[in-house]
Amino acid sequence: MAVSLREYRAKIKSTQSMKKITRAMELIAASRIIKAQQQAAAAAPYARELTRAVSAVATFSNVDHPLTTEKQNPTRAAVLVITSDRGLAGAYSSNVLKEVDRLGEKLRAEGKEVSYFLSGRKAETYFNFRQREFVQAWTGHTDKPSFDVAREIGSTLVEAFDPADESSEGLAADELHIVFTRFKSMLTQVPEVIRLLPLEVVEGTEAPEADDLLPLYEFEPSAHEVLDALLPKYVNSRIYFCLLQAAASELAARQKAMKSATDNAQDLIEKYTRIANQARQAGITQEISEIVGGVEALSGAGAGNE
């Protein structure tokens, strides 16, 4: 009985310590999620308007630029995978990796060779454990992404899509996709795939009305040089926006997972406390029974002597 009580008390103590840790992590994630959500919301208008500007230039310039021109028979695709550096965020990273596997199967079914670029230690660990090849990985920034990291990733991806070295033309990607988690609400974060390059034109896709006035653009310097300047900014801003969305989603998922862990720890504490009380009460009852039995035995022995 004493050993059993000692074990339950040790379990209660360890579960209480675990509950303090998960509760602290829940509060930390809750305190940071608002700022991350505000940063993601603030970056959205710039990314959206820059996309519209680049699309407008590509539409009305009639210039065949490598980053806006669809290739006839694409054979290679590059995929940027955005996960977290740390765990304890529920199924956040695993959902992204499942989406990556689905996208990879789809691209390979289309006859395309897939090259992976990774953001976050979870993606790097996943690929290393399964001995799958990847081109490059960036880690240590997922909870607080900076524009410098986005610019570094963007320059690498642009170089992979449109290599400056003509000798590496056989290694150039024909498409560039990003797999990340879009933050919709504190309860909903959805893995999403977007095609970043070639740029899908969004301006001028609908036929104009008879009396519509179409804009006239004059480019100084040339339209090709304007696109050369705008497209890296477009890629960097979209990647930065995806990183911010992923950071907000990671914090929301971690808060939800840690709240669930805290609630489960409280349930375990109550369960172990109840079992320990039952064991203690059973022990007391047994001791009382032994005392009563001993008293009755002594009383019977005394009556026999008389």
Side-chain angles (χ1 to χ4, degrees):
M1 182 271 296
V3 175
S4 178
L5 272 179
R6 216 166 25 241
E7 289 177 352
Y8 284 125
R9 286 169 180 166
K11 288 181 179 180
I12 291 172
K13 186 176 181 180
S14 63
T15 307
Q16 287 174 339
S17 300
M18 182 176 60
K19 178 185 173 183
K20 291 179 182 178
I21 295 173
T22 56
R23 178 60 176 167
M25 295 184 67
E26 177 190 350
L27 294 176
I28 292 173
S31 65
R32 296 172 57 186
I33 183 63
I34 301 300
K35 183 177 180 181
Q37 185 180 359
Q38 290 174 347
Q39 288 180 331
Y46 177 78
R48 182 171 55 251
E49 292 304 320
L50 185 57
T51 301
R52 289 174 59 88
V54 174
S55 298
V57 174
T59 302
F60 297 108
S61 62
N62 295 323
V63 172
D64 291 333
H65 194 276
L67 302 185
T68 61
T69 304
E70 294 275 357
K71 296 189 177 180
Q72 294 295 330
N73 296 308
T75 58
R76 293 181 58 88
V79 178
L80 173 62
V81 183
I82 301 178
T83 61
S84 64
D85 284 322
R86 298 182 295 143
L88 299 177
Y92 166 75
S93 293
S94 61
N95 287 338
V96 174
L97 295 172
K98 289 177 182 177
E99 194 66 33
V100 169
D101 290 339
R102 284 193 288 267
L103 176 63
E105 292 176 0
K106 176 178 177 292
L107 293 174
R108 281 187 285 270
E110 296 173 355
K112 300 171 185 174
E113 184 180 351
V114 184
S115 302
Y116 293 99
F117 297 81
L118 312 179
S119 172
R121 290 191 181 93
K122 286 297 179 181
E124 185 179 16
T125 302
Y126 177 83
F127 275 73
N128 286 333
F129 180 76
R130 285 159 179 79
Q131 298 181 354
R132 295 171 58 178
E133 295 183 357
F134 59 90
V135 180
Q136 190 170 345
W138 295 268
T139 60
H141 64 274
T142 59
D143 53 347
K144 290 183 179 179
S146 64
F147 189 77
D148 291 337
V149 174
R151 183 165 49 205
E152 180 182 350
I153 296 174
S155 61
T156 302
L157 294 179
V158 170
E159 178 63 24
F161 186 83
D162 184 28
D165 185 2
E166 294 182 357
S167 62
S168 62
E169 184 177 356
L171 301 176
D174 301 323
E175 296 177 358
L176 175 58
H177 303 264
I178 301 180
V179 185
F180 69 107
T181 306
R182 184 178 294 276
F183 179 87
K184 291 186 176 293
S185 68
M186 291 296 296
L187 299 177
T188 307
Q189 302 87 40
V190 182
E192 190 170 315
V193 179
I194 61 173
R195 196 188 79 169
L196 190 63
L197 294 173
L199 179 65
E200 294 179 327
V201 175
V202 298
E203 296 281 350
T205 56
E206 297 181 358
E209 299 293 337
D211 54 351
D212 279 351
L213 296 178
L214 296 179
L216 293 177
Y217 287 87
E218 291 186 1
F219 298 99
E220 180 65 34
S222 66
H224 197 283
E225 291 177 297
V226 172
L227 286 173
D228 283 341
L230 280 180
L231 282 167
K233 297 181 184 296
Y234 157 76
V235 172
N236 296 341
S237 67
R238 291 300 299 272
I239 292 176
Y240 184 52
F241 174 72
C242 292
L243 290 174
L244 291 175
Q245 287 278 320
S249 300
E250 177 187 349
L251 290 172
R254 180 168 291 113
Q255 181 191 9
K256 184 166 58 176
M258 291 300 99
K259 185 181 187 307
S260 178
T262 303
D263 294 341
N264 291 337
Q266 181 60 35
D267 293 340
L268 280 176
I269 292 172
E270 294 176 358
K271 175 183 175 181
Y272 289 146
T273 302
R274 183 172 60 253
I275 295 175
N277 289 338
Q278 291 174 351
R280 182 173 59 83
Q281 291 169 1
I284 294 173
T285 303
Q286 182 179 355
E287 289 177 358
I288 292 174
S289 299
E290 292 174 353
I291 292 172
V292 171
V295 170
E296 289 179 352
L298 290 175
S299 298
N305 291 333
E306 291 178 358

